[in-house]
């Protein structure tokens, strides 16, 4: 921007200083400038402010690594996360902040993640359906681990610690299970759960009916044994979020960009993929296809009046990887339609079209053939059905639904997978309805066959049984 000639740039008076209008409010702009300037770090005390800062950093190509340093203290404050627990997790995921995402994820387990509105919100805020899928898996694994922790102590267990006559064994008495589970969940929400008070931690009492030094020492030894087992279990407690969580990308040395997107092709800008490959593109084609790019290129571009050499063309970093970007551009250009063979690439293209405001009609044409191939249907029938449903391809959705009859739609993981991939619970309900209708048709056919075997059928059907005397 500042490389362009400025009107009145030579004046020295305050009135001659250019004033640049921006969309950020005063509080956001002040913190953003504080963060950029070499001064004391700004206080970031609310999640809405943090979200505005991330948006501003993306807009002005400011590294979020510095912002992360300023946000670390905020993410260690439970009050900050509780302002919008799901959005905190989504923001951390989007930026590749693993520690912060794990911290925020502990506060999201009260959400019903399979509800359409909540799932949609998380996907929109994180920009990645994988954020929802991994959170669901993490929630399930933590629920299992929670039960394993609670089972470390058994009700009415007895431990003999004193040989003195008349001194009974120590006895375990468990609190109400629901209260134990709720209390343990609250403890595990903390960054560093502390099982020092092991009885309160797991919700039980180790009852000592008789008091002597030996009994007291034995009771403490038994509590320490429980404590050691809990610490060992906590070390194995699910914390890591699998999948791609790194916002840092390494330029690709293996991706070979082919014509018409290589450096020698016709074009006036470069799109740089997330893995570092440069694709030469035409601003005119991008602007016609996408209002996003049209508005971007309507802004003054540095270097517009200089010589059009390769090194001086603007480079626009995008979030898509090389494979997705090549397929995306091939879809936009007047070329043979791209061959899309996997559900993964298809979902990435759907996200790209949503992001760049591309008409879904263009995407439907490209994906229709892929959704109809037996290979795709056999490889991932649920994914094909979900994608066809999302794109409104009714016939393709019906075809894919026939390949899903061996799947148990009551299984929680299957239900969660379908809801998140299709973007709503309606796809699951429609699949259930189709399955029930087909089962009713099969029952009617089976009943008709049975009746025909026992009583005979009308001759017009062509299936009259043979007479015993024939």
């Amino acid at each position: 921007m500042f490389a362009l000639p400025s009107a009145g740039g030579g004046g020295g008076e305050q009135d001659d200083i250019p004033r640049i209008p921006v969309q950020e409010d005063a509080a956001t702009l002040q913190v953003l400038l504080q963060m950029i300037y070499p001064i004391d770090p700004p206080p970031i005390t609310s999640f809405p402010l943090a979200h505005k800062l991330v948006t501003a950093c993306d807009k002005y190509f400011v590294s979020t690594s510095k912002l992360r340093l300023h946000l670390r203290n905020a993410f260690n404050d439970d009050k900050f996360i509780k302002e919008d627990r799901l959005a905190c997790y989504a923001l951390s995921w989007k930026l590749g902040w693993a520690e912060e995402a794990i911290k925020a994820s502990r506060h999201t387990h009260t959400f019903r993640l399979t509800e359409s509105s909540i799932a949609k919100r998380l996907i929109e805020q994180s920009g990645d359906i994988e954020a929802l899928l991994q959170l669901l898996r993490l929630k399930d694994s933590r629920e299992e681990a929670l039960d394993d922790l609670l089972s470390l102590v058994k009700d009415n267990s007895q431990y003999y610690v004193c040989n003195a006559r008349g001194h009974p064994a120590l006895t375990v008495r468990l609190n109400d299970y629901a209260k134990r589970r709720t209390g343990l969940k609250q403890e595990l929400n903390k960054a560093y759960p502390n099982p020092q008070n092991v009885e309160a931690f797991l919700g039980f009492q180790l009852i000592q009916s008789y008091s002597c030094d030996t009994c007291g020492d034995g009771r403490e030894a038994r509590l320490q044994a429980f404590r050691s087992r809990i610490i060992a279990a906590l070390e194995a407690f699910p914390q890591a979020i699998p999948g791609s969580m790194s916002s840092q990308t390494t330029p690709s040395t293996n991706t070979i960009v082919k014509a018409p997107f290589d450096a020698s092709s016709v074009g006036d800008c470069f799109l740089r993929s997330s893995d570092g490959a440069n694709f030469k593109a035409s601003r005119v084609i991008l602007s016609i296809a996408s209002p996003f790019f049209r508005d971007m290129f309507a802004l003054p571009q540095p270097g517009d009046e200089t010589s059009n050499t390769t090194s001086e063309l603007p480079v626009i970093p995008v979030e898509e990887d090389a494979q997705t970007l090549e397929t995306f551009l091939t879809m936009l250009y007047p070329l043979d339609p791209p061959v899309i063979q996997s559900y993964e690439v298809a979902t990435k293209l759907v996200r790209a079209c949503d992001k760049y405001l591309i008409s879904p009609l263009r995407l439907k044409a490209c994906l229709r053939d892929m959704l109809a191939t037996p290979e795709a249907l056999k490889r991932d029938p649920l994914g094909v059905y979900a994608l066809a449903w999302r794109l409104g391809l009714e016939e393709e959705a019906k075809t894919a639904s026939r390949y899903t009859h061996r799947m148990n739609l009551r299984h929680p993981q299957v239900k969660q997978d379908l809801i998140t991939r299709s973007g709503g619970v309606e796809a699951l309900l429609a699949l259930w309805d189709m399955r029930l209708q087909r089962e009713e048709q099969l029952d009617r056919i089976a009943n008709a066959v049975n009746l025909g075997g026992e009583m005979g059928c009308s001759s017009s059907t062509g299936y009259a049984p043979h007479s015993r005397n024939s």
Side-chain angles (χ1 to χ4, degrees):
M1 176 190 292
F2 296 125
L4 298 172
S6 299
E13 298 295 330
Q14 183 177 354
D15 289 342
D16 293 331
I17 297 175
R19 291 172 175 79
I20 305 167
V22 295
Q23 295 179 340
E24 289 71 32
D25 57 48
T28 306
L29 189 58
Q30 179 175 346
V31 175
L32 179 67
L33 292 174
Q34 273 186 266
M35 188 182 76
I36 295 172
Y37 273 64
I39 56 179
D40 292 339
I44 304 174
T45 56
S46 71
F47 176 78
L49 177 58
H51 190 270
K52 290 178 182 178
L53 286 170
V54 171
T55 303
C57 286
D58 288 342
K59 176 181 175 182
Y60 299 119
F61 302 100
V62 177
S63 172
T64 54
S65 298
K66 191 172 183 180
L67 178 61
R68 183 183 185 183
L69 296 177
H70 302 319
L71 279 175
R72 275 189 182 276
N73 290 335
F75 269 91
N76 283 326
D77 185 356
D78 287 347
K79 292 182 180 179
F80 177 88
I81 295 177
K82 288 178 181 178
E83 286 184 37
D84 197 333
R85 295 167 287 173
L86 203 65
C88 274
Y89 168 80
L91 180 64
S92 304
W93 176 280
K94 183 177 182 179
L95 296 174
W97 298 352
E99 278 185 39
E100 289 80 359
I102 291 168
K103 169 73 173 175
S105 72
R106 300 192 190 110
H107 294 266
T108 65
H109 294 323
T110 56
F111 287 95
R112 296 185 62 185
L113 298 175
T114 53
E115 284 189 6
S116 178
S117 59
I118 294 177
K120 184 178 180 181
R121 176 188 164 201
L122 177 55
I123 293 170
E124 289 176 349
Q125 290 178 333
S126 65
D128 189 359
I129 193 173
E130 197 64 19
L132 173 61
L133 295 177
Q134 295 295 3
L135 186 57
L136 285 167
R137 295 182 188 121
L138 189 62
K139 181 178 180 180
D140 288 342
S141 61
R142 282 178 176 169
E143 291 290 332
E144 293 176 3
L146 199 66
D147 290 330
D148 291 340
L149 275 169
L150 292 173
S151 66
L152 290 176
V153 291
K154 307 291 185 183
D155 198 21
N156 293 322
S157 298
Q158 292 187 332
Y159 302 94
Y160 291 91
V161 296
C162 182
N163 293 326
R165 186 176 181 180
H167 290 199
L170 304 175
T171 304
V172 172
R173 289 286 185 266
L174 298 182
N175 299 339
D176 177 73
Y177 179 78
K179 292 181 179 179
R180 293 177 66 215
R181 218 170 187 278
T182 301
L184 184 55
K185 271 189 175 182
Q186 292 175 350
E187 287 295 325
L188 295 177
N189 278 341
K190 299 176 182 177
Y192 304 99
N194 183 9
Q196 188 61 34
N197 185 351
V198 64
E199 291 176 285
F201 193 81
L202 287 187
F204 74 98
Q205 293 88 42
L206 189 58
I207 297 175
Q208 179 181 350
S209 301
Y210 195 91
S211 178
C212 72
D213 290 343
T214 303
C215 290
D217 292 342
R219 184 179 187 277
E220 183 54 40
R222 176 48 52 185
L223 290 176
Q224 183 57 43
F226 282 136
R227 199 174 292 117
S228 299
R229 292 169 65 187
I230 291 171
I231 291 173
L234 287 175
E235 290 176 353
F237 191 75
Q239 301 288 358
I241 298 177
S244 176
M245 282 297 299
S246 175
S247 60
Q248 304 299 322
T249 57
T250 303
S252 172
T253 57
N254 299 321
T255 302
I256 300 176
V257 179
K258 302 175 183 178
F261 309 119
D262 60 346
S264 61
S265 298
V266 176
D268 51 6
C269 70
F270 282 98
L271 299 182
R272 176 168 293 165
S273 68
S274 61
D275 46 0
N278 289 330
F279 290 77
K280 199 171 188 180
S282 165
R283 299 189 207 183
V284 173
I285 293 177
L286 294 177
S287 298
I288 292 173
S290 164
F292 178 94
F293 285 113
R294 183 178 65 239
D295 293 344
M296 176 190 292
F297 295 134
L299 298 172
Q301 302 293 315
D304 281 345
E305 299 179 0
T306 62
S307 61
N308 190 26
T309 63
T310 301
S311 61
E312 294 173 347
L313 294 180
V315 177
I316 304 167
V318 295
E319 296 177 348
E320 291 70 33
D321 58 42
Q323 181 187 15
T324 306
L325 187 56
E326 181 178 15
T327 307
F328 178 73
L329 291 174
T330 303
M331 181 185 75
L332 299 185
Y333 270 61
L335 304 169
D336 291 337
V339 178
I340 305 169
Q341 296 180 333
S342 73
Y343 173 77
E344 289 73 19
V345 174
T347 53
K348 290 178 181 178
L349 283 172
V350 170
R351 288 200 297 269
C353 284
D354 290 343
K355 173 182 174 182
Y356 298 118
L357 309 178
I358 304 292
S359 170
L361 295 177
R362 183 187 293 268
L363 189 60
K364 284 184 180 181
C366 294
L367 291 180
R368 192 181 297 272
D369 290 339
M370 185 277 290
L371 295 176
T373 60
E375 293 80 9
L377 289 167
K378 291 177 181 178
R379 185 186 311 163
D380 188 4
L382 199 68
V384 172
Y385 169 81
L387 185 57
W389 174 274
R390 184 177 179 190
L391 295 176
L393 297 171
E394 184 176 349
E395 290 303 318
E396 286 74 12
K398 287 181 179 179
T399 301
S401 70
R402 298 189 183 100
Y403 287 77
T404 66
H405 288 313
R406 293 185 178 180
M407 295 182 174
N408 181 9
L409 296 182
R410 291 186 176 89
H411 193 282
Q413 189 61 45
V414 175
K415 289 193 292 186
Q416 292 169 3
D417 194 22
L418 177 54
I419 290 171
T420 52
R421 288 168 125 179
S422 65
V425 73
E426 293 83 3
L428 173 62
L429 299 176
L431 187 56
W432 264 114
D433 188 52
M434 283 189 282
R435 179 173 291 189
L436 291 174
Q437 289 181 23
R438 288 168 184 162
E439 288 177 353
E440 290 173 359
Q441 290 175 357
L442 285 174
D443 288 340
R444 286 196 293 270
I445 293 172
N447 290 332
V449 171
N450 290 334
L451 289 172
E454 295 173 2
M455 302 174 59
C457 297
S458 168
S459 59
S460 63
T461 64
Y463 289 97
H466 292 290
S467 170
R468 290 183 179 180
N469 296 327
S470 62

